[in-house]
Amino acid sequence: MKIAIIGAGNMGGAIARGLASLGQDMELAVANPSQPKLVALREYSSKIQTFTDNVEAANGADMLILAVKPWLIEKVLREIDAEVDLSSTMIVSVAAGVSLDDLASFMTEGEKRAIFIAMPNTAIAVRQSMTFVCHNANATAEQVAMVKTVFDAMGQSAVIEERQMTAATALCSCGIAFAMRYVRAATEGGVELGIYAHQAKDYVLQTLRGAVELLEATGNHPEAEIDRVTTPGGITIRGLNAMEAHGFTNAVIQGLKASK
Ligand SMILES: NC(=O)c1ccc[n+]([C@@H]2O[C@H](COP(=O)([O-])OP(=O)(O)OC[C@H]3O[C@@H](n4cnc5c(N)ncnc54)[C@H](OP(=O)(O)O)[C@@H]3O)[C@@H](O)[C@H]2O)c1
């Protein structure tokens, strides 16, 4: 299988590195207009072929991953479509705000193409992304499985309907910033309580790691795990209730809704 990635920035570069590390037999081509990011990719892995010409990179690709800024998607896709037969190519866009219909309209006979949107988050750089994938009706089950395999290799992926994409993006792409803000808030609270900032951040991160692993290992609802920590009349329930009195749950929900 040949995978071509157009754009070697944060997203395209992370996807290329993730795929190159898979150890699977695949041809990997990456295109970018300027050399420095391509040089870095070549240095990362000899499996990555690099091009400054999008058409050359896309030629013969089974999967074409478009990782340029949203406003460049139309230009880039039209340019490739004019020169390359995309009739049996899976078209995968990671651009925010570009719909499946938009992508089809950027190609001749686009209504016949297998088109996907994949929405990773920035943790793709450390292969811990939560990536959502949606597709049009032309995508076969086998093609959907192939796209999912690519993004599963860089964290976890879930196939959802396009209508759920905005909500999923708020939850997990914006959500990574919300999680970071919790880390910052908890760190600042720790400092006020008397812990050095750099230590407080490390302690918060390990506490969050523990919370994630507890929930994954037990399959419990978060509230069940909270019940295990909250001694009647104890300090944890006092802390939780103070947070709720200051609008914690509501602030998170309102933030997610504002991000849609
Ligand atoms: N970052 C995120 O958290 C995130 C999450 C989900 C989805 N996305 C989506 O991912 C896409 C890429 O975002 P990014 O953060 O990776 O942006 P980025 O770091 O700016 O990368 C975009 C790359 O595209 C290259 N490029 C520019 N014009 C091109 C052309 N005509 N042909 C081929 N490559 C071209 C740029 O090269 P030069 O720099 O050399 O000009 C740059 O390396 C966006 O559509 C964004 O919506 C991003």
Side-chain angles (χ1 to χ4, degrees), residues 5 26 30 46 66 83-84 86 92 100 109 151 158 178 181 188 191 217 220 224 227 233 243 246 249:
I5 301 168
M26 66 171 75
V30 181
S46 58
L66 301 166
E83 302 288 335
V84 179
L86 296 174
V92 185
L100 293 169
E109 301 200 310
F151 288 97
F178 305 153
R181 186 55 67 87
E188 287 177 354
V191 174
N220 281 346
D227 285 347
M243 284 184 186
H246 288 85
T249 299

Side-chain angles (χ1 to χ4, degrees), residues 1-5 11-12 14-20 22 24 26-28 62-65 90 92 94 116 118 120 124 127 129 131 133 142-157:
M1 176 155 89
K2 175 174 175 180
I3 300 180
I5 301 168
M11 279 295 137
I15 294 169
R17 285 181 175 84
L19 290 177
L22 268 186
Q24 279 179 12
M26 66 171 75
E27 202 182 329
L28 202 48
D62 302 290
M63 191 183 296
L64 177 67
I65 301 179
M90 291 163 265
V92 185
V94 302
F116 298 78
I124 199 166
R127 277 187 258 155
S129 175
T131 304
V133 174
E142 194 190 2
Q143 289 175 321
V144 174
M146 277 194 260
V147 173
K148 189 166 171 7
T149 302
V150 163
F151 288 97
D152 278 341
M154 284 162 281
Q156 281 183 32
S157 71

Side-chain angles (χ1 to χ4, degrees), residues 9-11 32-34 37 54 67-70 72 94-96 119-120 122:
N10 297 314
M11 279 295 137
N32 201 75
S34 59
K37 291 172 193 160
N54 294 342
V68 296
K69 291 292 189 194
L72 290 174
V94 302
M119 196 47 62
T122 48

Side-chain angles (χ1 to χ4, degrees), residues 46-222:
S46 58
K47 288 187 195 164
I48 304 175
Q49 301 163 19
T50 62
F51 301 84
T52 49
D53 184 318
N54 294 342
V55 168
E56 259 187 80
N59 220 344
D62 302 290
M63 191 183 296
L64 177 67
I65 301 179
L66 301 166
V68 296
K69 291 292 189 194
W71 56 89
L72 290 174
I73 290 283
E74 176 171 4
K75 174 179 164 287
V76 162
L77 192 47
R78 285 193 191 283
E79 170 198 15
I80 294 170
D81 182 54
E83 302 288 335
V84 179
D85 176 9
L86 296 174
S87 54
S88 55
T89 305
M90 291 163 265
I91 311 293
V92 185
S93 164
V94 302
V98 182
S99 70
L100 293 169
D101 282 347
D102 290 337
L103 292 161
S105 74
F106 301 155
M107 291 177 278
T108 49
E109 301 200 310
E111 71 286 354
K112 295 184 182 168
R113 305 285 171 253
I115 305 175
F116 298 78
I117 295 169
M119 196 47 62
N121 64 28
T122 48
I124 199 166
V126 290
R127 277 187 258 155
Q128 284 295 346
S129 175
M130 179 66 234
T131 304
F132 294 98
V133 174
C134 68
H135 57 86
N136 69 358
N138 300 325
T140 64
E142 194 190 2
Q143 289 175 321
V144 174
M146 277 194 260
V147 173
K148 189 166 171 7
T149 302
V150 163
F151 288 97
D152 278 341
M154 284 162 281
Q156 281 183 32
S157 71
V159 179
I160 61 173
E161 292 176 33
E162 188 175 23
R163 67 179 174 83
Q164 298 173 301
M165 214 53 161
T166 314
T169 302
L171 199 57
C172 296
S173 294
C174 309
I176 206 153
F178 305 153
M180 301 290 176
R181 186 55 67 87
Y182 172 82
V183 172
R184 192 192 83 177
T187 302
E188 287 177 354
V191 174
E192 192 169 333
L193 292 174
I195 297 170
Y196 288 110
H198 66 283
Q199 290 171 331
K201 191 195 79 182
D202 289 349
Y203 301 159
V204 170
L205 290 182
Q206 177 56 23
T207 304
L208 284 179
R209 203 174 282 123
V212 168
E213 297 216 355
L214 266 177
L215 291 177
E216 285 187 345
T218 61
N220 281 346
H221 188 283

